[in-house]
Amino acid sequence: MDKKLIVLDLDGTTLKDDQTISKRTAQALQKARNYGHEVMIATGRPYRLSELYYKELALSTPIVNFNGAVFHHPLDSHFADSYHQSIDLAIVRELLDFTLDFPLSNIAAEVQDSVFLKESNDSVPETFRSGVRQIFIGDLKNNIQADPTSLLFFGQKKELERISTHLDHSLSEVISYHTWGASWPAVEVVKHGIHKAVGVKAAANTLGFDRKDIIAFGDETNDLEMLDYAGVGVAMGNAVPEAKNAANYITASNEEDGIALYLEENLPL
């Protein structure tokens, strides 16, 4: 059969709920590589929070971070096809003004390896502080001096819906956004037109794969474009309804070795 490019979302997909990769999944991915297939990661995480899994799987492929805003090769500092798509700082400041009086639990921004938080509290995942070169707490509008990779608003459903409506009506031509799941309700803003499929397409071009030979695994709304773009989109059993609707197949959950089960049944491992 044709060689495949296997694309992995991390949270809720490759990772179990305890943030580990099961032995069966790791073995299935290694067997796939032994047969000549390629494996890569496409995640909403920054690289500092995905590096552990990149190394654990002993990958040698490019990686997609920040939901497609960053594409690079961890093993090649001179990788010619790398890119970093950031949000215009003027747009970020406009959004910060718009939400100034919202009772949000927090606002976060990432500029390369620096993190900016409005509040020093537990309203954002602890991972935001992991491996960070610098953390700035306080007034984001004055603290951020460069175009951010992403901007996140954490809060209750009502406030997040108001932000989403504003983005749809006023800024849809300059930004894109994704919503986070129930554990950490948030709206994540990135540059217009940026999503995981952008990075996956770049990786496929670099590695020499046709779209039809891409198998992508995901579980959340930030995986929708990737699942639709791939020749075969596979949603996890624990995926949100939108992801299941976008996928070609539904496998078992992240707690039930869903990736391994699909690969074992559909590739000659």
Side-chain angles (χ1 to χ4, degrees):
M1 68 184 305
D2 292 335
K3 302 305 180 187
K4 304 298 182 182
L5 175 60
I6 301 167
V7 185
L8 310 172
D9 168 54
L10 288 178
D11 296 281
T13 301
T14 307
L15 304 184
K16 296 166 57 181
D17 293 344
D18 65 1
Q19 303 288 287
T20 64
I21 302 174
S22 75
K23 182 177 180 180
R24 184 175 178 182
T25 293
Q27 289 177 339
L29 291 168
Q30 184 55 56
K31 287 180 180 179
R33 295 178 67 202
N34 292 344
Y35 276 90
H37 306 293
E38 293 280 8
V39 176
M40 67 170 290
I41 292 171
T43 177
R45 294 181 176 221
Y47 182 63
R48 69 177 189 277
L49 300 181
S50 45
E51 180 180 13
L52 168 67
Y53 306 109
Y54 185 93
K55 291 181 176 179
E56 180 178 344
L57 294 172
L59 300 182
S60 57
T61 44
I63 185 171
V64 175
N65 289 114
F66 286 107
N67 288 315
V70 175
F71 175 62
H72 63 110
H73 201 308
L75 305 180
D76 183 0
S77 59
H78 302 290
F79 183 56
D81 296 327
S82 63
Y83 68 73
H84 176 208
Q85 300 284 357
S86 54
I87 316 166
D88 188 289
L89 185 55
I91 297 169
V92 170
R93 288 174 171 163
E94 188 276 335
L95 279 171
L96 292 173
D97 283 339
F98 174 74
T99 60
L100 188 61
D101 297 323
F102 285 30
L104 296 168
S105 55
N106 217 333
I107 303 175
E110 303 209 32
V111 181
Q112 297 286 25
D113 289 327
S114 296
V115 170
F116 296 79
L117 298 173
K118 183 179 180 181
E119 307 287 345
S120 179
N121 56 34
D122 60 359
S123 61
V124 301
E126 183 59 34
T127 50
F128 263 82
R129 298 172 173 84
S130 301
V132 178
R133 182 180 303 167
Q134 288 182 298
I135 299 179
F136 300 89
I137 308 294
D139 182 0
L140 272 69
K141 186 174 180 180
N142 290 321
N143 283 342
I144 300 174
Q145 298 298 321
D147 295 349
T149 308
S150 68
L151 178 68
L152 295 106
F153 298 94
F154 293 86
Q156 299 300 312
K157 181 179 179 181
K158 181 179 179 181
E159 284 71 41
L160 298 182
E161 287 179 345
R162 287 180 64 191
I163 293 171
S164 297
T165 299
H166 177 70
L167 297 175
D168 287 335
H169 290 172
S170 303
L171 295 170
S172 61
E173 294 184 358
V174 290
I175 62 91
S176 294
Y177 71 92
H178 311 280
T179 56
W180 282 27
S183 298
W184 303 98
V187 171
E188 179 179 13
V189 180
V190 294
K191 185 177 180 179
H192 176 65
I194 292 299
H195 45 70
K196 288 186 180 181
V198 174
V200 172
K201 181 179 180 180
N205 289 339
T206 297
L207 298 172
F209 283 92
D210 291 332
R211 180 176 177 179
K212 67 179 178 61
D213 292 319
I214 300 172
I215 303 173
F217 294 88
D219 73 304
E220 266 291 351
T221 54
N222 64 334
D223 296 313
L224 297 182
E225 293 89 352
M226 178 176 75
L227 292 172
D228 181 66
Y229 176 76
V232 179
V234 184
M236 309 303 291
N238 54 289
V240 297
E242 297 93 329
K244 291 180 177 178
N245 290 336
N248 303 102
Y249 294 95
I250 299 172
T251 186
S253 75
N254 63 320
E255 289 288 307
E256 301 167 315
D257 297 308
I259 291 176
L261 285 170
Y262 178 86
L263 296 178
E264 291 164 0
E265 293 173 359
N266 293 277
L267 296 182
L269 303 184

